[in-house]
Amino acid sequence: MKPRISVITIGVDDLERSLRFYRDGLQLPTEGIIGEQFEHGAVAFFDLQPGLKLAIWPRTSLAHDAGIAPGAPSATEFSLGHNLASKEEVDATMAQAKAAGAHIVKPAQDTFWGGYAGYFQDPDGHLWEAVWNPQLLPPD
């Protein structure tokens, strides 16, 4: 397997609500919901960076497609990290997420490893980390 990920798909309970959160609140670029003409096909894709997309898909559709029973959501199964260039960008991202309706789990603060980070949850409880890591600064 090549070490490459091109789509991160998260299961959501309410596709329209999640679309508004990511598109309107976090201002991620998207063409909106597509595939509504297919049973279990409605999905929205967001451009993250070249070669990487975030997809939101109803949990029931994801479970159906994978052929497994829907399970109970858990915020601690994974987190999505958004690496930023400064502490100020972390604070601005946390404020934007809160204004979009995110639940702030842990306000941004200095970390034990020399960075600065905070956690928020999207409307479906998915855990996001807004982080400034001086060892892993983003290229832009």
Side-chain angles (χ1 to χ4, degrees):
M1 183 170 141
K2 292 183 180 184
R4 175 180 53 227
I5 294 175
S6 54
V7 178
I8 298 170
T9 302
I10 57 176
V12 300
D13 292 322
D14 183 329
L15 190 57
E16 292 283 345
R17 177 186 68 186
S18 292
L19 175 67
R20 287 189 303 274
F21 177 78
Y22 287 105
R23 179 193 61 204
D24 304 337
L26 297 186
Q27 299 176 342
L28 297 181
T30 182
E31 293 182 19
I33 297 172
I34 61 170
E36 292 179 287
Q37 69 273 32
F38 305 108
E39 183 179 11
H40 303 291
V43 63
F45 293 96
F46 301 87
D47 296 322
L48 298 180
Q49 62 196 43
L52 182 61
K53 292 190 180 288
L54 173 69
I56 55 173
W57 201 15
R59 289 181 201 276
T60 54
S61 297
L62 181 57
H64 177 323
D65 194 56
I68 59 174
S74 172
T76 57
E77 291 174 357
F78 69 93
S79 70
L80 297 166
H82 182 44
N83 199 31
L84 297 150
S86 68
K87 290 181 177 185
E88 293 77 21
E89 284 188 24
V90 170
D91 289 336
T93 298
M94 294 293 288
Q96 181 182 19
K98 183 175 183 177
H103 169 68
I104 303 301
V105 175
K106 181 178 180 181
Q109 56 195 266
D110 291 324
T111 65
F112 70 91
W113 45 265
Y116 185 77
Y119 286 94
F120 65 87
Q121 288 178 297
D122 75 3
D124 290 281
H126 298 294
L127 193 60
W128 283 80
E129 180 184 28
V131 59
W132 169 71
N133 181 337
Q135 287 14 32
L136 298 172
L137 292 176
D140 53 295

